[in-house]
Each structure stands twice: as structure tokens, then as C-alpha cells.
Amino acid sequence: MVNKRELTEDGLEKNFATNTLGVYVLTTALIPVLEKEHDSRVITVSSGGMLVQKLNTNDLQSERTAFNGTMVYAQNKRQQVVLTEHWARAHPAIHFSCMHPGWADTPGVRLSMPGFHASMGDRLRSAAQGADTVLWLALAPAATAQPSGLFFQGDFLPRCEGAQDPPSPNHPPLHETRIGNQCPHTCLLLEHRPHQLKRRN
């Protein structure tokens, strides 16, 4: 997340070049190889920030409105989700998914969103917890039973009051999270109720 408008040496806005165009170039270059492999999967690490943005194809380079790095990043992450849906339809031999790792305490969050990082404090997930969904999507046989092209994010179990609540046998590891003000044993569902977000365009 670059918080002021900067261009690459090719004249591209840096957030778009990295988060959207870079993901597109890498993924499409690998598709011919992946289509020949057994159990090939593509997981794009998107962000829950994309929920605040409609897809906007009229200003991909962020030239027409006042530049806000956080909102440009969110738009890039929406673009990643739409690309994932497109790839899933176009390449049925590959399992595509994208995911939000939850708000995790990583160097990227600390540097790009210092105010958010400071206000969240110890409620952020650890970096290891932030990796749980992407690891499950990459490794679990159950992940490919889900339709290709879905966006995965955590849904909280409705009954997390006590430490004795058994985790679902379908949970990937690291199902506990410190996010929010829920009890210390709040569980983050990962395969649980995956849903496909409707494209808001």
C-alpha cells in the first residue's frame, strides 16, 4: 500500500501495478503449467478492505479522484476478487480461491496503516494466525470441495462463550483469534460458511 500517488518506471500507478497487474501477469503466466498438474490451486491473498469498494473500471490508475492510498488498495483487492471469479470460470481444471487473512500484526500493517495498527493493539491476529486460511486452502483436501472462485473470510462461531466449546472437526489449525472483543476462545471459521461475495458493479 503506497499512500501517495507514485508511478513505476513504466508509468503505472504503483498500487495497481503491484496488487492488480502483478497478480494478473503472474497468474496468467502460470495457468498453462497449472492446467497440466493434478490438484493445482491458485490462492490470491486479498483483503476484507475490498468490502468497502465497488469495482471501478473507469479509473484503474487512480487519476480522476483525490488519491487515498487505503481506498486505492481496497479497490485493488476488489479487482483481485473479480479476477479470481473470472479465472475460475475460464479455467475449470484449476481450483481458484481468494481470501482475507483477518487483521494481523504484520510489518505491512504497521507501516501502511500505523493509526489502525496502534488503535487495534493486541486485538490483531498474529502473523501465524493470519496464515491459517491460506494454508488450509493450499493443503486441505476439503478446500477443493468448495466451488472454485470463492472469497474466504472468517465468520465467528455463534457460541464461543466457554473454553470447552469443541472446535469443528473441519476447522483448519489456528482457529482461535484475538480479533474484536469476543471471548478469548472466539473461533474463526475457515471452511465453515465460505461465501461468494456478489460483485458490486
Side-chain angles (χ1 to χ4, degrees):
M1 185 192 302
V2 179
N3 284 310
K4 63 179 182 177
R5 192 172 189 277
E6 298 178 12
L7 302 181
T8 67
E9 61 184 19
D10 298 311
L12 298 167
E13 191 277 317
K14 284 187 176 179
N15 290 290
F16 174 77
T18 302
N19 298 321
T20 302
L21 189 57
V23 168
Y24 175 81
V25 170
L26 176 63
T27 303
T28 55
L30 290 172
I31 282 173
V33 176
L34 292 169
E35 287 185 319
K36 298 175 184 176
E37 297 298 321
H38 171 70
D39 193 26
S40 57
R41 309 180 191 193
V42 173
I43 303 112
T44 301
V45 180
S46 184
S47 170
M50 65 82 128
L51 294 167
V52 304
Q53 286 285 305
K54 293 181 180 180
L55 179 65
N56 178 7
T57 58
N58 295 318
D59 191 20
L60 295 176
Q61 299 292 314
S62 307
E63 297 170 296
R64 300 181 183 177
T65 57
F67 190 87
N68 179 316
T70 302
M71 291 300 103
V72 170
Y73 177 85
Q75 177 66 206
N76 297 158
K77 294 300 178 175
R78 168 65 66 174
Q79 293 161 0
Q80 290 177 350
V81 171
V82 174
L83 282 171
T84 300
E85 293 172 349
H86 166 76
W87 287 322
R89 290 191 298 269
H91 305 284
I94 305 169
H95 192 271
F96 290 89
S97 52
C98 51
M99 49 76 67
H100 170 46
W103 304 113
D105 189 356
T106 64
V109 172
R110 288 195 295 275
L111 291 172
S112 299
M113 302 173 69
F116 172 80
H117 182 268
S119 67
M120 288 297 288
D122 64 2
R123 290 177 292 171
L124 291 169
R125 304 184 83 205
S126 69
Q129 288 170 325
D132 55 10
T133 305
V134 71
L135 287 171
W136 181 80
L137 288 168
L139 301 172
T144 54
Q146 303 296 330
S148 186
L150 293 187
F151 174 88
F152 289 77
Q153 65 175 359
D155 292 323
F156 292 104
L157 284 173
R159 292 179 295 115
C160 274
E161 291 296 319
Q164 307 310 313
D165 286 351
S168 161
N170 295 323
H171 281 192
L174 301 175
H175 58 272
E176 291 184 351
T177 180
R178 293 174 291 162
I179 263 183
N181 295 317
Q182 290 86 2
C183 72
H185 304 283
T186 297
C187 296
L188 193 65
L189 273 67
L190 298 171
E191 62 78 51
H192 19 323
R193 287 186 298 277
H195 56 282
Q196 190 168 21
L197 294 168
K198 297 203 181 289
R199 195 181 303 171
R200 301 191 298 173
N201 57 357

